[in-house]
Short mmCIF file of all heavy atoms in Angstrom, two decimals:
data_model
loop_
_atom_site.label_atom_id
_atom_site.label_comp_id
_atom_site.label_asym_id
_atom_site.label_seq_id
_atom_site.Cartn_x
_atom_site.Cartn_y
_atom_site.Cartn_z
N THR A 344 37.53 -32.59 23.48
CA THR A 344 38.38 -33.76 23.69
C THR A 344 37.52 -34.88 24.25
O THR A 344 36.38 -34.65 24.65
CB THR A 344 39.52 -33.46 24.69
OG1 THR A 344 38.95 -33.22 25.98
CG2 THR A 344 40.37 -32.28 24.25
N GLN A 345 38.07 -36.07 24.31
CA GLN A 345 37.31 -37.19 24.88
C GLN A 345 36.98 -36.93 26.35
O GLN A 345 35.86 -37.20 26.79
CB GLN A 345 38.08 -38.50 24.74
CG GLN A 345 38.05 -39.04 23.33
CD GLN A 345 38.58 -40.46 23.25
OE1 GLN A 345 39.12 -41.01 24.21
NE2 GLN A 345 38.41 -41.06 22.09
N ASP A 346 37.92 -36.37 27.09
CA ASP A 346 37.67 -36.10 28.51
C ASP A 346 36.57 -35.07 28.70
O ASP A 346 35.71 -35.23 29.56
CB ASP A 346 38.94 -35.64 29.21
CG ASP A 346 39.95 -36.77 29.41
OD1 ASP A 346 39.54 -37.96 29.33
OD2 ASP A 346 41.13 -36.46 29.62
N THR A 347 36.60 -33.99 27.91
CA THR A 347 35.56 -32.96 28.07
C THR A 347 34.21 -33.46 27.57
O THR A 347 33.18 -33.12 28.13
CB THR A 347 35.94 -31.64 27.38
OG1 THR A 347 36.19 -31.87 25.99
CG2 THR A 347 37.17 -31.01 28.03
N THR A 348 34.22 -34.30 26.55
CA THR A 348 32.97 -34.88 26.05
C THR A 348 32.36 -35.79 27.11
O THR A 348 31.17 -35.72 27.40
CB THR A 348 33.22 -35.65 24.74
OG1 THR A 348 33.71 -34.73 23.76
CG2 THR A 348 31.95 -36.30 24.24
N ARG A 349 33.18 -36.62 27.72
CA ARG A 349 32.70 -37.51 28.78
C ARG A 349 32.13 -36.68 29.94
O ARG A 349 31.05 -36.98 30.46
CB ARG A 349 33.84 -38.40 29.27
CG ARG A 349 33.43 -39.41 30.31
CD ARG A 349 34.56 -40.38 30.66
NE ARG A 349 34.82 -41.28 29.52
CZ ARG A 349 35.89 -41.20 28.72
NH1 ARG A 349 36.83 -40.30 28.94
NH2 ARG A 349 36.04 -42.02 27.72
N ALA A 350 32.83 -35.63 30.33
CA ALA A 350 32.36 -34.77 31.42
C ALA A 350 31.04 -34.09 31.06
O ALA A 350 30.15 -33.97 31.90
CB ALA A 350 33.42 -33.73 31.78
N MET A 351 30.90 -33.66 29.82
CA MET A 351 29.66 -33.02 29.39
C MET A 351 28.50 -33.99 29.48
O MET A 351 27.43 -33.66 30.02
CB MET A 351 29.80 -32.50 27.95
CG MET A 351 28.54 -31.84 27.39
SD MET A 351 27.31 -32.96 26.64
CE MET A 351 28.24 -33.72 25.32
N PHE A 352 28.66 -35.22 28.97
CA PHE A 352 27.58 -36.20 29.02
C PHE A 352 27.23 -36.56 30.47
O PHE A 352 26.06 -36.71 30.80
CB PHE A 352 27.92 -37.47 28.24
CG PHE A 352 27.70 -37.32 26.76
CD1 PHE A 352 28.77 -37.37 25.87
CD2 PHE A 352 26.42 -37.12 26.24
CE1 PHE A 352 28.56 -37.24 24.50
CE2 PHE A 352 26.22 -36.99 24.88
CZ PHE A 352 27.29 -37.05 24.01
N ARG A 353 28.22 -36.68 31.32
CA ARG A 353 27.94 -36.95 32.74
C ARG A 353 27.17 -35.80 33.36
O ARG A 353 26.24 -36.02 34.14
CB ARG A 353 29.22 -37.22 33.50
CG ARG A 353 29.79 -38.57 33.17
CD ARG A 353 31.02 -38.87 33.96
NE ARG A 353 31.46 -40.21 33.61
CZ ARG A 353 32.50 -40.81 34.13
NH1 ARG A 353 33.21 -40.20 35.06
NH2 ARG A 353 32.83 -42.02 33.76
N THR A 354 27.53 -34.57 33.02
CA THR A 354 26.82 -33.41 33.54
C THR A 354 25.36 -33.43 33.08
O THR A 354 24.44 -33.24 33.87
CB THR A 354 27.50 -32.10 33.08
OG1 THR A 354 28.83 -32.07 33.60
CG2 THR A 354 26.73 -30.88 33.55
N VAL A 355 25.15 -33.66 31.79
CA VAL A 355 23.80 -33.64 31.23
C VAL A 355 22.94 -34.76 31.81
O VAL A 355 21.82 -34.51 32.27
CB VAL A 355 23.84 -33.74 29.68
CG1 VAL A 355 22.46 -34.00 29.11
CG2 VAL A 355 24.43 -32.47 29.09
N PHE A 356 23.45 -35.97 31.79
CA PHE A 356 22.62 -37.10 32.20
C PHE A 356 22.58 -37.33 33.71
O PHE A 356 21.56 -37.76 34.24
CB PHE A 356 23.07 -38.38 31.48
CG PHE A 356 22.76 -38.36 30.01
CD1 PHE A 356 23.73 -38.65 29.08
CD2 PHE A 356 21.49 -38.06 29.55
CE1 PHE A 356 23.44 -38.65 27.71
CE2 PHE A 356 21.18 -38.05 28.19
CZ PHE A 356 22.17 -38.34 27.27
N ARG A 357 23.66 -37.04 34.42
CA ARG A 357 23.67 -37.30 35.86
C ARG A 357 23.29 -36.07 36.67
O ARG A 357 22.39 -36.12 37.49
CB ARG A 357 25.03 -37.81 36.29
CG ARG A 357 25.30 -39.18 35.75
CD ARG A 357 26.60 -39.70 36.29
NE ARG A 357 26.81 -41.05 35.78
CZ ARG A 357 27.98 -41.62 35.73
NH1 ARG A 357 29.04 -40.99 36.18
NH2 ARG A 357 28.12 -42.84 35.26
N GLN A 358 24.01 -34.98 36.45
CA GLN A 358 23.77 -33.79 37.28
C GLN A 358 22.48 -33.07 36.91
O GLN A 358 21.74 -32.63 37.79
CB GLN A 358 24.95 -32.84 37.19
CG GLN A 358 26.19 -33.42 37.85
CD GLN A 358 27.39 -32.51 37.71
OE1 GLN A 358 27.34 -31.44 37.11
NE2 GLN A 358 28.50 -32.95 38.26
N LEU A 359 22.23 -32.92 35.62
CA LEU A 359 21.01 -32.22 35.20
C LEU A 359 19.80 -33.16 35.16
O LEU A 359 18.67 -32.70 35.07
CB LEU A 359 21.20 -31.58 33.82
CG LEU A 359 22.32 -30.55 33.71
CD1 LEU A 359 22.43 -30.03 32.29
CD2 LEU A 359 22.11 -29.41 34.69
N GLY A 360 20.05 -34.46 35.16
CA GLY A 360 18.97 -35.44 35.18
C GLY A 360 18.20 -35.56 33.88
O GLY A 360 17.05 -36.00 33.87
N MET A 361 18.83 -35.20 32.77
CA MET A 361 18.16 -35.33 31.47
C MET A 361 18.07 -36.80 31.08
O MET A 361 18.93 -37.60 31.40
CB MET A 361 18.91 -34.56 30.39
CG MET A 361 18.87 -33.06 30.54
SD MET A 361 17.22 -32.45 30.25
CE MET A 361 17.18 -31.09 31.39
N TRP A 362 17.02 -37.14 30.36
CA TRP A 362 16.82 -38.48 29.85
C TRP A 362 17.25 -38.56 28.39
O TRP A 362 17.73 -39.58 27.92
CB TRP A 362 15.36 -38.89 29.99
CG TRP A 362 15.06 -40.22 29.36
CD1 TRP A 362 14.39 -40.45 28.18
CD2 TRP A 362 15.45 -41.50 29.84
NE1 TRP A 362 14.34 -41.79 27.92
CE2 TRP A 362 14.99 -42.47 28.93
CE3 TRP A 362 16.15 -41.93 30.97
CZ2 TRP A 362 15.19 -43.83 29.10
CZ3 TRP A 362 16.35 -43.29 31.13
CH2 TRP A 362 15.87 -44.22 30.21
N ARG A 363 17.09 -37.44 27.65
CA ARG A 363 17.30 -37.44 26.21
C ARG A 363 18.08 -36.19 25.83
O ARG A 363 17.81 -35.10 26.32
CB ARG A 363 15.94 -37.44 25.54
CG ARG A 363 15.94 -37.33 24.05
CD ARG A 363 14.47 -37.27 23.56
NE ARG A 363 14.39 -36.84 22.19
CZ ARG A 363 14.47 -37.66 21.14
NH1 ARG A 363 14.63 -38.95 21.33
NH2 ARG A 363 14.41 -37.19 19.93
N LEU A 364 19.04 -36.35 24.91
CA LEU A 364 19.82 -35.24 24.40
C LEU A 364 19.74 -35.27 22.88
O LEU A 364 19.89 -36.33 22.27
CB LEU A 364 21.27 -35.37 24.87
CG LEU A 364 22.20 -34.20 24.58
CD1 LEU A 364 21.69 -32.91 25.22
CD2 LEU A 364 23.60 -34.51 25.08
N GLU A 365 19.47 -34.12 22.27
CA GLU A 365 19.29 -34.03 20.83
C GLU A 365 20.33 -33.10 20.20
O GLU A 365 20.81 -32.18 20.84
CB GLU A 365 17.92 -33.44 20.49
CG GLU A 365 16.76 -34.25 20.98
CD GLU A 365 15.42 -33.59 20.71
OE1 GLU A 365 15.38 -32.39 20.34
OE2 GLU A 365 14.39 -34.28 20.87
N VAL A 366 20.62 -33.37 18.93
CA VAL A 366 21.42 -32.49 18.08
C VAL A 366 20.60 -32.26 16.82
O VAL A 366 20.08 -33.22 16.23
CB VAL A 366 22.78 -33.12 17.71
CG1 VAL A 366 23.50 -32.30 16.67
CG2 VAL A 366 23.64 -33.32 18.94
N ARG A 367 20.46 -31.00 16.43
CA ARG A 367 19.77 -30.66 15.17
C ARG A 367 20.73 -29.89 14.32
O ARG A 367 21.49 -29.04 14.82
CB ARG A 367 18.53 -29.82 15.46
CG ARG A 367 17.50 -30.58 16.25
CD ARG A 367 16.36 -29.68 16.67
NE ARG A 367 15.51 -30.37 17.62
CZ ARG A 367 14.33 -30.89 17.32
NH1 ARG A 367 13.88 -30.79 16.09
NH2 ARG A 367 13.63 -31.52 18.24
N THR A 368 20.71 -30.16 13.01
CA THR A 368 21.61 -29.46 12.10
C THR A 368 20.97 -29.35 10.73
O THR A 368 20.10 -30.14 10.38
CB THR A 368 22.97 -30.19 12.01
OG1 THR A 368 23.88 -29.35 11.29
CG2 THR A 368 22.84 -31.54 11.33
N GLY A 369 21.44 -28.38 9.97
CA GLY A 369 20.98 -28.23 8.60
C GLY A 369 21.48 -29.37 7.73
O GLY A 369 22.50 -29.99 8.02
N LYS A 370 20.75 -29.63 6.66
CA LYS A 370 21.10 -30.75 5.77
C LYS A 370 22.48 -30.60 5.15
O LYS A 370 23.12 -31.57 4.81
CB LYS A 370 20.06 -30.87 4.65
CG LYS A 370 18.75 -31.45 5.12
CD LYS A 370 17.82 -31.62 3.93
CE LYS A 370 16.58 -32.37 4.34
NZ LYS A 370 15.72 -32.65 3.20
N ARG A 371 22.96 -29.37 5.01
CA ARG A 371 24.25 -29.14 4.35
C ARG A 371 25.44 -29.17 5.30
O ARG A 371 26.58 -29.06 4.87
CB ARG A 371 24.21 -27.79 3.63
CG ARG A 371 23.27 -27.76 2.47
CD ARG A 371 23.36 -26.43 1.72
NE ARG A 371 22.16 -26.24 0.94
CZ ARG A 371 21.16 -25.43 1.28
NH1 ARG A 371 21.23 -24.71 2.36
NH2 ARG A 371 20.10 -25.32 0.52
N ASN A 372 25.20 -29.32 6.58
CA ASN A 372 26.27 -29.28 7.56
C ASN A 372 26.94 -30.66 7.66
O ASN A 372 26.63 -31.47 8.52
CB ASN A 372 25.74 -28.83 8.92
CG ASN A 372 26.86 -28.50 9.88
OD1 ASN A 372 27.96 -29.01 9.77
ND2 ASN A 372 26.55 -27.64 10.84
N LYS A 373 27.90 -30.88 6.78
CA LYS A 373 28.59 -32.17 6.72
C LYS A 373 29.36 -32.48 7.99
O LYS A 373 29.44 -33.64 8.41
CB LYS A 373 29.55 -32.19 5.52
CG LYS A 373 28.83 -32.14 4.20
CD LYS A 373 29.82 -32.10 3.05
CE LYS A 373 29.08 -31.95 1.73
NZ LYS A 373 29.99 -31.79 0.62
N ARG A 374 29.90 -31.47 8.61
CA ARG A 374 30.69 -31.66 9.82
C ARG A 374 29.86 -32.28 10.94
O ARG A 374 30.28 -33.24 11.59
CB ARG A 374 31.24 -30.30 10.24
CG ARG A 374 32.31 -30.33 11.23
CD ARG A 374 32.82 -28.92 11.38
NE ARG A 374 33.96 -28.87 12.24
CZ ARG A 374 34.58 -27.77 12.54
NH1 ARG A 374 34.16 -26.64 12.04
NH2 ARG A 374 35.61 -27.79 13.34
N VAL A 375 28.67 -31.73 11.19
CA VAL A 375 27.82 -32.26 12.26
C VAL A 375 27.24 -33.62 11.85
O VAL A 375 27.13 -34.52 12.68
CB VAL A 375 26.71 -31.26 12.63
CG1 VAL A 375 25.72 -31.87 13.61
CG2 VAL A 375 27.33 -30.01 13.23
N LYS A 376 26.92 -33.77 10.58
CA LYS A 376 26.37 -35.05 10.11
C LYS A 376 27.37 -36.19 10.32
O LYS A 376 26.99 -37.33 10.57
CB LYS A 376 25.98 -34.94 8.63
CG LYS A 376 24.71 -34.12 8.43
CD LYS A 376 24.45 -33.72 7.00
CE LYS A 376 24.45 -34.82 6.00
NZ LYS A 376 24.07 -34.36 4.64
N ARG A 377 28.67 -35.88 10.23
CA ARG A 377 29.71 -36.89 10.50
C ARG A 377 29.95 -37.05 11.99
O ARG A 377 30.17 -38.15 12.48
CB ARG A 377 31.04 -36.48 9.84
CG ARG A 377 31.15 -36.84 8.39
CD ARG A 377 32.58 -36.66 7.88
NE ARG A 377 33.19 -35.38 8.25
CZ ARG A 377 33.15 -34.28 7.50
NH1 ARG A 377 32.54 -34.27 6.35
NH2 ARG A 377 33.73 -33.17 7.92
N ALA A 378 29.93 -35.94 12.73
CA ALA A 378 30.30 -35.97 14.15
C ALA A 378 29.22 -36.58 15.04
O ALA A 378 29.54 -37.31 15.98
CB ALA A 378 30.63 -34.56 14.63
N ALA A 379 27.95 -36.28 14.78
CA ALA A 379 26.88 -36.74 15.67
C ALA A 379 26.91 -38.26 15.88
O ALA A 379 26.88 -38.71 17.03
CB ALA A 379 25.51 -36.27 15.17
N PRO A 380 26.99 -39.06 14.82
CA PRO A 380 27.06 -40.52 15.04
C PRO A 380 28.33 -40.94 15.79
O PRO A 380 28.31 -41.89 16.57
CB PRO A 380 27.04 -41.10 13.63
CG PRO A 380 26.37 -40.06 12.80
CD PRO A 380 26.82 -38.75 13.40
N LYS A 381 29.44 -40.22 15.59
CA LYS A 381 30.67 -40.55 16.31
C LYS A 381 30.52 -40.31 17.81
O LYS A 381 31.13 -41.01 18.62
CB LYS A 381 31.85 -39.74 15.76
CG LYS A 381 32.28 -40.20 14.39
CD LYS A 381 33.44 -39.40 13.88
CE LYS A 381 33.83 -39.85 12.49
NZ LYS A 381 34.93 -39.05 11.94
N PHE A 382 29.73 -39.32 18.18
CA PHE A 382 29.44 -39.06 19.60
C PHE A 382 28.50 -40.13 20.16
O PHE A 382 28.40 -40.30 21.36
CB PHE A 382 28.77 -37.70 19.78
CG PHE A 382 29.73 -36.54 19.87
CD1 PHE A 382 30.13 -35.87 18.73
CD2 PHE A 382 30.19 -36.10 21.09
CE1 PHE A 382 30.99 -34.79 18.81
CE2 PHE A 382 31.04 -35.01 21.18
CZ PHE A 382 31.45 -34.36 20.03
N GLY A 383 27.77 -40.82 19.28
CA GLY A 383 26.83 -41.85 19.73
C GLY A 383 25.37 -41.50 19.48
O GLY A 383 24.48 -42.23 19.88
N PHE A 384 25.13 -40.37 18.80
CA PHE A 384 23.76 -39.99 18.49
C PHE A 384 23.24 -40.81 17.32
O PHE A 384 23.98 -41.14 16.40
CB PHE A 384 23.70 -38.50 18.12
CG PHE A 384 23.93 -37.58 19.28
CD1 PHE A 384 25.20 -37.14 19.59
CD2 PHE A 384 22.87 -37.16 20.07
CE1 PHE A 384 25.42 -36.30 20.66
CE2 PHE A 384 23.08 -36.31 21.14
CZ PHE A 384 24.36 -35.88 21.45
#
Side-chain angles (χ1 to χ4, degrees):
T344 66
Q345 285 191 352
D346 288 341
T347 57
T348 298
R349 183 173 291 107
M351 178 275 300
F352 279 115
R353 286 182 178 182
T354 299
V355 168
F356 290 129
R357 292 185 178 160
Q358 292 177 359
L359 300 178
M361 292 291 146
W362 174 254
R363 176 183 166 87
L364 188 59
E365 299 176 347
V366 172
R367 295 173 190 257
T368 189
K370 286 184 172 185
R371 293 185 200 103
N372 192 334
K373 293 178 184 175
R374 194 173 186 181
V375 173
K376 287 167 53 175
R377 277 191 312 268
K381 288 180 181 177
F382 276 89
F384 290 91

